[in-house]
Amino acid sequence: MTKDWNLSAAPESTSHIQLQSEYGLFIGGKWIKPSDGSYFDTSNPATEKRIASIALAGKKDVDAAFKAADHAFDGWSSLSGAERGKYIFRIARIIQEKSREFAVIESMDGGKPIRESRDIDIPLAAAHFFYYAGWADKLDYVFPGRKMRPLGVAAQIIPWNFPLLMAAWKIAPALACGNTVVLKPAETTSLTALKLAEVIDEAGLPPGVVNIITGDGATGALMTAHPTPKKLAFTGSTEVGKQIYKAAIQGGKKVTLELGGKAANIIFDDAPIDAAVEGIINGIYFNQGHVCCAGSRLFVQETVYDEVLAKLKRRMDSLIVGDPMDKNTDIGAINSKAQLKTIERYLKLGSEEGAEIYQPACNLPEKGYWCKPTLFTNVAQSNRIAQEEIFGPVLAIQTFRTIEEVIEKANNTPYGLSAGVWTDKGSKIFQLTKELKAGVVWANTYNKFDPTSPFGGFKESGFGREGGIHGLEAYLSFD
Ligand code: NAP
Ligand code: MG
């Protein structure tokens, strides 16, 4: 049954979008009901209203998906790269055509501001498919003189913070290299992955090349324990990442893990302060802070601390928190009730640890899950709010005097995904990019993504790279 969603209340989305009230599993090019008839609901975190029922894949369904992917592998991997590229280009173009619909669904299902889904998530997802479509027939030039093969079937598990984009990061390079795929989106944000299945169908990919199955953590665990996949690709929490790593070792599978982070955003006194303040805001409040590479630890050089803090608070006062569908919204809804609880626990903990909290006085909607943009000052390096990933709009501020001191503090965390540096001096940027243990270091900008650029972490942030030509290597084996 197809339902029309008239989103006339939303300035950015007056057109109709097509959503089913019930979604099955996309296996072997067909929509299939879950074998034991189990479904779960997905809801809109800004209204708490149910949007659709989603199939909960059990063991039989997981088996069927891997069987379909395995069956499709020989045909897909023996196509020429140019042929595979054509299919991937088609997916990219259809996403572009449907970008408005994708943006609305992404914001409805996950709570992110429509401005971000429209301008960042969806265009970047299409860009990843375009980028890897271009590599499909050029693998010999990427790895000259090396004999390479696709790995086989890949099991891919993604989180809820960038649902369509993470699906694109995983599916595009896998297909370009000749692998077939079983992908599971996160429970709270399955809808755009299911829409992507419709796109894949429309693009005419051979049945079974991409299978999208929905479910919960137990479905994910069944996927990682399954004997068929030769590759496990995971983005999510460090805790689940560790379990997946174990399953990969036991099963002799190749694995890439993109896990959590606690990035340092470092402001030197020679930085252009106004631009840096914008960078701090973007670094931590983009996507409600549900960003693994969020600049959640701010280090300000002591000499400009008062100026930065005053400007930062003034800028926070101007942020609009509320309806994700309103194109003026800066901070949308927290993705789920459970995540809001986690964030609130850290807000309480920060105050108990002796840090000082600041939140602008803004009104929050009555229904839905919301958190005001928050900062903590008077934070000690050992405080849990400075060490643990909160995954919400919460910034912990510390000061420093020298470059050596800030490098030591910035590296003093179990994570190593990303960092930011704001300074007028190229020499400081070079020293920091060398000495910070972080997979990505942004200089005088933050949270900039591009399909040509590899992304991934060190230490408990995981290993392996996605994006760029590094992202191809993760889906090939070399003789
Ligand atoms: P999560 O709980 O680890 O879930 C990630 C995915 O794994 C979801 O699809 C989840 O399914 C599934 N899953 C849960 N338990 C599983 C198990 N035992 N075996 C296999 N799969 C399982 O993380 P999340 O709460 O969705 O996402 C937030 C975390 O992701 C943060 O820590 C963040 O830093 C990290 N993250 C990292 C990156 C990066 O690139 N490094 C990017 C985005 C997010 P359900 O949804 O059904 O539970
Ligand atoms: Mg939802």
Side-chain angles (χ1 to χ4, degrees):
M1 194 178 38
T2 300
K3 199 166 165 183
D4 264 354
W5 290 82
N6 186 351
L7 299 161
S8 53
E12 196 35 37
S13 50
T14 42
S15 67
H16 292 245
I17 59 161
Q18 301 263 298
L19 278 176
Q20 321 276 341
S21 61
E22 189 181 288
Y23 280 91
L25 306 161
F26 186 69
I27 297 177
K30 293 201 177 73
W31 290 96
I32 288 169
K33 287 193 185 296
S35 57
D36 66 358
S38 299
Y39 288 84
F40 61 95
D41 284 345
T42 192
S43 61
N44 179 338
T47 61
E48 298 176 47
K49 282 197 185 129
R50 175 187 165 279
I51 305 173
S53 293
I54 312 264
L56 182 72
K59 186 167 182 329
K60 276 191 188 156
D61 307 308
V62 171
D63 281 344
F66 281 119
K67 203 170 160 198
D70 198 31
H71 189 69
F73 176 68
D74 282 348
W76 180 249
S77 58
S78 56
L79 285 183
S80 69
E83 275 303 309
R84 286 200 306 272
K86 276 193 226 165
Y87 286 108
I88 307 169
F89 270 123
R90 236 178 266 159
I91 298 173
R93 278 198 298 267
I94 303 173
I95 293 174
Q96 268 187 329
E97 282 161 21
K98 296 182 192 290
S99 59
R100 189 185 169 86
E101 191 182 8
F102 267 111
V104 170
I105 297 172
E106 199 74 301
S107 284
M108 263 173 71
D109 200 19
K112 65 174 68 201
I114 188 74
R115 212 176 50 215
E116 292 178 8
S117 357
R118 186 193 61 194
D119 299 346
I120 299 170
D121 291 59
I122 311 305
L124 263 179
H128 270 268
F129 281 105
F130 276 121
Y131 176 74
Y132 282 110
W135 279 128
D137 63 348
K138 300 175 195 72
L139 297 175
D140 289 334
Y141 300 93
V142 185
F143 307 105
R146 295 179 75 185
K147 238 177 120 36
M148 70 199 107
R149 273 169 289 115
L151 299 170
V153 177
Q156 307 183 321
I157 299 174
I158 57 172
W160 43 260
N161 55 347
F162 293 94
L164 184 71
L165 185 57
M166 289 301 113
W169 279 28
K170 300 240 174 323
I171 294 174
L175 296 186
C177 295
N179 303 273
T180 57
V181 163
V182 177
L183 176 132
K184 187 194 91 66
E187 224 172 310
T188 55
T189 55
S190 302
L191 287 176
T192 47
L194 293 164
K195 274 270 151 195
L196 179 63
E198 293 176 9
V199 168
I200 283 163
D201 198 19
E202 196 180 327
L205 263 80
V209 171
V210 177
N211 305 275
I212 308 278
I213 61 173
T214 43
D216 57 11
T219 310
L222 285 168
M223 288 170 68
T224 55
H226 203 278
T228 300
K230 296 285 187 292
K231 154 94 190 195
L232 305 180
F234 174 77
T235 299
S237 60
T238 299
E239 193 190 336
V240 175
K242 285 178 181 169
Q243 296 171 33
I244 290 186
Y245 183 67
K246 245 191 232 160
I249 297 296
Q250 280 162 3
K253 301 169 194 296
K254 197 159 167 167
V255 60
T256 40
L257 301 173
E258 303 272 10
L259 309 175
K262 191 75 184 175
N265 201 1
I266 301 167
I267 318 289
F268 286 96
D269 59 7
D270 57 9
I273 298 297
D274 290 345
V277 167
E278 283 309 308
I280 299 166
I281 294 280
N282 170 265
I284 184 63
Y285 302 128
F286 170 57
N287 198 29
Q288 295 73 249
H290 301 328
V291 182
C292 47
C293 51
S296 51
R297 292 183 297 153
L298 176 65
F299 290 96
V300 187
Q301 199 156 22
E302 237 173 46
T303 35
V304 287
Y305 177 69
D306 291 340
E307 181 189 356
V308 169
L309 190 63
K311 286 185 165 166
L312 185 57
K313 285 182 175 173
R314 206 176 313 141
R315 184 67 179 91
M316 284 168 75
D317 292 347
S318 73
L319 293 174
I320 299 172
V321 186
D323 184 5
M325 292 301 174
D326 186 329
K327 61 180 182 243
N328 293 315
T329 292
D330 297 301
I331 299 181
I334 297 302
N335 183 267
S336 66
K337 195 174 189 171
Q339 186 58 24
L340 181 58
K341 271 201 183 142
T342 303
I343 297 168
E344 284 172 344
R345 219 175 39 238
Y346 277 105
L347 295 185
K348 193 158 162 268
L349 189 68
S351 301
E352 285 166 7
E353 283 179 321
E356 205 173 303
I357 191 168
Y358 177 79
Q359 291 179 321
C362 53
N363 294 324
L364 300 178
E366 261 173 38
K367 278 263 173 197
Y369 316 126
W370 311 97
C371 180
K372 291 181 184 181
T374 305
L375 65 76
F376 279 108
T377 50
N378 202 18
V379 174
Q381 181 71 10
S382 59
N383 285 170
R384 284 181 61 191
I385 54 163
Q387 287 291 329
E388 297 173 19
E389 185 180 49
I390 302 173
F391 226 56
V394 184
L395 179 66
I397 308 185
Q398 296 175 261
T399 57
F400 68 94
R401 283 187 187 161
T402 64
I403 190 164
E404 290 72 26
E405 180 192 350
V406 78
I407 289 169
E408 196 191 314
K409 281 181 167 169
N411 284 336
N412 181 6
T413 144
Y415 295 111
L417 190 56
S418 61
V421 49
W422 297 81
T423 172
D424 199 28
K425 296 276 179 304
S427 58
K428 282 184 194 156
I429 294 173
F430 285 125
Q431 185 176 351
L432 284 173
T433 49
K434 266 210 318 241
E435 294 184 27
L436 289 176
K437 291 191 184 68
V440 180
V441 180
W442 283 290
N444 295 325
T445 187
Y446 207 93
N447 274 339
K448 284 276 182 288
F449 307 97
D450 191 282
T452 62
S453 163
F455 185 90
F458 294 109
K459 303 194 284 186
E460 295 212 357
S461 292
F463 53 79
R465 295 292 178 263
E466 292 183 309
I469 55 176
H470 302 67
L472 294 166
E473 216 168 334
Y475 284 95
L476 291 167
S477 72
F478 296 90
D479 287 347

